[in-house]
Amino acid sequence: VMAGVAAAIAPGFLPLAIGVLVFAFSLAIGSLRRSQPVERAIVAGGAMLVLSLARELRWFGVNTLVAVTLVIGVAVFGVWRRSNRHRRLVLQVLGGVAAFTAIACLGLLMAATSARGDLTEGNRVARQGLQELKSGDFQLARQSFVRAADAFERADNDMSAVWAQPSRLVPVANQHRKVGADLSATAAEATRAIAEQLRFVDLDALRIVDGAIDIEAVKALQPPLVAVQQAVNELDQAVAASNNGWLVGPVERRVVDLADELDDQLSLGEKSLAALRVAPAMLGENGQRVYFVMFTTPAEARGQGGFMGNYAELTVTNGQIEMTAFGRTGELNSQAASSLLTRPTEWLLRYGPFGFQKGPDQLVGPVAWSNITMSPHFPSTAQVVADLYPQSGGREIDGVINLDVFALQGLVGVVGPLDIGGIEGSLTGTNTAQFLLVDQYEIDQSTRIDLLEDVARQVVTKLLAGAADDPLQLGRALATPAQQRRLYVWSSDAAEQDLLGRIGIDGALFGSDASATRMSVRVVNASANKIDTYFERRVCVAQGPDSDQISATVQLINHAPASGLPPIVIGNAVELPDGFNRTYLTWHSTLLVDYATIDGQPLALQPQIEQGANAYSTYVDIPPNGQVELRFVLQGAGGVTSIAVSPQPLVIPELWATTRSPNQQCAAADFAAFTKPGELDLLGQN
């Protein structure tokens, strides 16, 4: 039986050949019905050899369980057939082995019990240090890693104690001892190395002092962070090696949690080092750099997020930053009427008719800069800005930065509060967005027209004057807007642009995963008002009865009233009654639209291509305090189990949900806000 099972679960040709051979040999021995101890020993040894190499049987350890059971069975039968004297001898040996095993396990238990508290503490503090490292609190992280190293060293001493050594000879117990000893030793060494290198990391080097950043100080950050990354990688490898399948559940869970934290830190560390390497060039070390800064507001929606009301020009020379221009969108419009736009081709095909290619000579019209943010793909928008700005009275630029009112609010929280002429009170890091989106429109227009300009100008001026004395505070203030795609950066340098994409602030419509099924809903204000502060969207994605079909229902909800708000907010430039929201809607998807409806009636769509996705567009009028429902039936969804959602950064976050119900309606409780790109599970979980 043992030889037959060994042959059945042999992992390869040679073990299989040995298994078949010993199985045939065992049948031959059995047929002779004579005592052949040597031959039977050969069969048993060959079968045990094959069993020791046996392949996995569905779950980890099943093959081992089968092998051990068979070997014990053969041993029991063998001992049972011996004489009483031999049986007593075997029992005495087994008793000695059992006693040694018990003593060894007891010693390991004592060592593990003593080390458990320190291992737990080291694991906890190391994870805390990783979080602090991720958030940029290097001094706090250093203190945490010192404490973690101390704890791991105490645990290593316990696991290396004399009374833990006999467990080396006990299967399973030895695996746990080795994991504990190796992990605690490597963790102690790695966390100590991380703590030591963090002594040399000084984020004050990133401060803006008198309008300048010290490039040499930025370069000096690279060597210690490289050493930190290497130490984290060594710890990650040790943790990965420790999770070898033999660990009991609670221990394994702690190891997996630590491994996840380390993986996140390795990814972040790689991006941080890449950013430090390109930072000197972006700060003008090799020559002057000019950046165009867009200040946008989602109160008037554009595909990128919002309308550009003001702009600034920053010139950087060897770390010295100057604001060399500041103005309004209208000023750029007045100088762009005779400019010719030549790139990019896909962008022009889609957005050229909106003021960028007019007449037989394909000249740029007088509202081009008002529509400059129509595209949801910021890299294309930035290329258009780089082409158009020099023709609109500006200079050749090397990069473009986009900040909406929420990102601006984060900066106000760092450099503020701000006192703006004509308004009561100060703007802070909590009320700036509300003021710019809502409150400012209650102010007289002659005063209001300068408000966004005043806020943006003061923020830039104070930043360059060194008001952000804590780089960590500045980073935290911009972290959430960056995640929510309210802060974009583009560089004309291909290597720098690739880095911006990996960091996730390039503002690309979709990520780099070309295999993912992608969806996005984008709207552009077509009423020439500021009504989109009150605009909400809900998207319900349903798997149809045909597995190759998906439907998406888009609810467009206008919370603006028909009266009671200023004309600039609810008035219309398209001869619609007050409170109506006319929007130019585009449904982006890698799936084809079979047909579409609006409030149950057939809907004609304009099909185009944008960034590798199908783009279907139409104009929609939404009444005040009302809603409109669009439904898109999509084909080619066979095998699709999740959707990559790219939300538009408007004032009210998008809500998405999935359903498998026959009527294809999502329950209100199923909707989840998408404030940043994410995955939508078609099985019903966001």
Side-chain angles (χ1 to χ4, degrees), residues 149-178:
D150 292 342
F152 283 130
E153 284 177 357
R154 292 193 299 269
D156 182 39
N157 292 335
D158 289 330
M159 296 303 294
S160 302
V162 173
W163 48 85
Q165 302 313 304
S167 62
R168 291 174 177 268
L169 302 177
V170 181
V172 179
N174 178 53
Q175 278 83 354
H176 280 80
R177 182 211 60 79
K178 189 174 188 305

Side-chain angles (χ1 to χ4, degrees), residues 10 22 33 64 95 137 201 211 277 285 355 363 393 429 440 486 493 507 511 535 564 674 681:
V22 296
R33 293 184 175 274
T64 302
D137 290 326
V201 177
R277 293 186 184 106
E285 180 186 40
L363 300 180
Q440 69 158 317
R486 301 183 184 280
D493 182 275
F535 186 36
F674 272 69
D681 187 350

Side-chain angles (χ1 to χ4, degrees), residues 84-257:
N84 289 337
R85 184 172 66 85
H86 286 157
R87 284 201 293 270
R88 284 195 299 272
L89 180 60
V90 169
L91 290 174
Q92 290 170 359
V93 171
L94 289 176
V97 170
F100 174 82
T101 300
I103 293 172
C105 290
L106 180 61
L108 177 61
L109 180 61
M110 291 171 56
T113 301
S114 179
R116 178 180 178 182
D118 289 323
L119 279 172
T120 301
E121 174 69 4
N123 176 70
R124 184 189 67 80
V125 182
R127 292 178 63 190
Q128 177 181 319
L130 289 170
Q131 289 297 323
E132 292 162 347
L133 197 60
K134 186 182 298 185
S135 63
D137 290 326
F138 290 102
Q139 294 308 311
L140 285 178
R142 179 177 177 273
Q143 297 171 17
S144 295
F145 282 118
V146 167
R147 289 159 51 204
D150 292 342
F152 283 130
E153 284 177 357
R154 292 193 299 269
D156 182 39
N157 292 335
D158 289 330
M159 296 303 294
S160 302
V162 173
W163 48 85
Q165 302 313 304
S167 62
R168 291 174 177 268
L169 302 177
V170 181
V172 179
N174 178 53
Q175 278 83 354
H176 280 80
R177 182 211 60 79
K178 189 174 188 305
V179 166
D182 291 352
L183 182 58
S184 57
T186 305
E189 182 179 348
T191 50
R192 186 74 69 191
I194 294 172
E196 180 64 23
Q197 291 301 322
L198 288 178
R199 292 174 53 232
F200 304 104
V201 177
D202 181 13
L203 281 187
D204 282 344
L206 302 180
R207 289 179 55 199
I208 301 176
V209 179
D210 296 329
I213 297 177
D214 187 344
I215 292 179
E216 293 305 317
V218 172
K219 290 181 177 179
L221 288 173
Q222 294 184 33
L225 288 182
V226 168
V228 167
Q229 186 78 345
Q230 291 173 344
V232 172
N233 186 55
E234 291 173 5
L235 182 55
D236 183 58
Q237 292 177 353
V239 169
S242 70
N243 192 16
N244 56 14
W246 286 97
L247 296 178
V248 293
V251 177
E252 182 180 18
R253 283 192 294 274
R254 289 192 179 93
V255 167
V256 170
D257 289 343

